[in-house]
Amino acid sequence: MDAFAATRLAAGTAFLVVAAASDFRTRRVRDPLWIGLGTLGLVVLASQLVVESAPWSAWSFAGSAALLFYAVFFGRPLTEEDGFHARPVRIALFLVAGVMWIAPLAVTGAVPATGSTPAMASTPVMIVVYQALYRLRVLHGGADAKGLMAITLLVPTYPNALPFPLLVADPRVDSALRIVFPFSLVVWVDAAIVSLAIPVGLFIFNALRRDFAIPQAFLGYRARLDALPTHAWLMERITPRGEHVLVLFPKRGENPADDIARLRAAGVDRAWVTPKTPFMVPLLIGFLLAFLVGNLLLAVLGLGR
């Protein structure tokens, strides 16, 4: 394992341990943690680019990713609850980031056919992808998206961590995977696979309580309305038409007070809730697995060795 890989592994683990502890206690991770991790990642990346005498295209990709990353934390977004707002400075920033990404791809020979520079092209793309996944509610928490963005800057390309990872891709697809399946995506996939233990655990918990309702037994548990858990979303509601319905995937940020009152009025004292899972814990495990074991999806698809 080279010095850059070791630094990234140590830094990522340390920051994610802090994030996991905060997420477990409060279900919140403050932005300065991700800003710090992303900034540290850029410092390590810049050092590596200097040591490797990387071409200007690698610097351009890194600069584009940095602009997009910091835009998440600073300045007001273009879209808010009341609609779209044309903010010239922010639009100009995005245009600059776009030009910095497109320019190396447009100049013949600017991106070497080998080395880490081609994989660097995916770094700005993944910042945008994680933001989009959050908007689409595929990533349920802002910390999830910001954490993956920070990891993208910390480990923009696959690290030289020999003898790790233990699971490597088939040589016939390895070079392509390094571009279309960046390291941070491996972290997310590994974390998602680890997270599959949660519904299994919930089902076992409900089975022991003889609550066999499907599918909610895989997604939550029954709780008393007069002692509703703090870190949980209500899955049952009484609609304005008086219908008692089950919401398998409640929207984040909703105030359950009115729903609780209506359920109580309907004679319900215990309702299904789904826990606000501290995803930082699986993300920490996924980060370590990505570094030391590799892409678990390769094992599932039979593309690893």
Side-chain angles (χ1 to χ4, degrees):
M1 183 180 297
D2 69 16
F4 291 114
T7 300
R8 287 174 168 128
L9 176 59
T13 301
F15 274 81
L16 287 172
V17 164
V18 175
S22 176
D23 196 20
F24 188 81
R25 291 196 309 268
T26 67
R27 299 303 190 271
R28 292 177 62 87
V29 182
R30 295 186 177 277
D31 285 350
L33 184 74
W34 302 130
I35 296 171
L37 180 58
T39 301
L40 177 60
L42 287 171
V43 171
V44 175
L45 175 59
S47 302
Q48 184 175 3
L49 294 181
V50 169
V51 169
E52 296 178 352
S53 299
W56 69 269
S57 53
W59 289 96
S60 189
F61 290 140
S64 175
L67 287 175
L68 294 172
F69 175 75
Y70 288 118
V72 172
F73 301 95
F74 301 104
R76 299 179 64 185
L78 296 177
T79 56
E80 296 182 305
E81 291 184 359
D82 58 347
F84 178 81
H85 299 271
R87 297 189 167 98
V89 174
R90 196 167 185 83
I91 292 173
L93 182 147
F94 289 143
L95 289 175
V96 170
V99 169
M100 293 178 72
W101 181 72
I102 293 172
L105 301 175
V107 177
T108 303
V111 181
T114 59
S116 61
T117 303
M120 284 285 298
S122 66
T123 306
V125 176
M126 294 312 299
I127 301 294
V128 176
V129 166
Y130 292 132
Q131 179 74 357
L133 291 176
Y134 173 70
R135 297 290 182 184
L136 295 172
R137 299 183 183 276
V138 176
L139 291 170
H140 292 287
D144 304 351
K146 293 169 184 175
L148 287 166
M149 292 177 195
I151 291 172
T152 299
L153 295 187
L154 179 68
V155 197
T157 61
Y158 282 68
N160 180 11
L162 292 175
F164 303 106
L166 302 177
L167 180 66
V168 296
D170 188 296
R172 293 171 294 181
V173 298
D174 182 63
S175 58
L177 278 177
R178 288 175 179 268
I179 297 175
V180 302
F181 211 113
F183 184 82
S184 65
L185 193 56
V186 176
V187 174
W188 183 36
V189 168
D190 285 0
I193 292 174
V194 170
S195 296
L196 293 178
I198 296 173
V200 174
L202 285 170
F203 180 77
I204 294 173
F205 174 75
N206 287 314
L208 293 174
R209 301 172 69 187
R210 299 187 181 279
D211 271 331
F212 292 103
I214 304 295
Q216 55 265 44
F218 288 98
L219 302 173
Y221 56 92
R222 291 185 195 269
R224 294 190 59 83
L225 292 178
D226 57 3
L228 198 69
T230 303
H231 302 305
W233 285 297
L234 194 61
M235 296 173 66
E236 294 185 48
R237 293 177 184 169
I238 304 295
T239 69
R241 298 172 57 182
E243 298 173 331
H244 189 173
V245 298
L246 180 71
V247 181
L248 295 180
F249 302 102
K251 293 182 179 179
R252 56 178 177 255
E254 293 185 339
N255 187 343
D258 292 340
D259 290 319
I260 291 174
R262 283 194 287 266
L263 286 167
R264 282 176 172 169
V268 178
D269 60 354
R270 295 175 69 245
W272 284 94
V273 299
T274 184
K276 298 177 182 178
T277 306
F279 186 68
M280 292 301 106
V281 176
L283 191 64
L284 167 62
I285 298 172
F287 180 78
L288 293 172
L289 286 173
F291 244 101
L292 304 177
V293 179
N295 190 341
L296 300 182
L297 189 60
L298 295 180
V300 175
L301 299 178
L303 297 176
R305 60 180 178 85

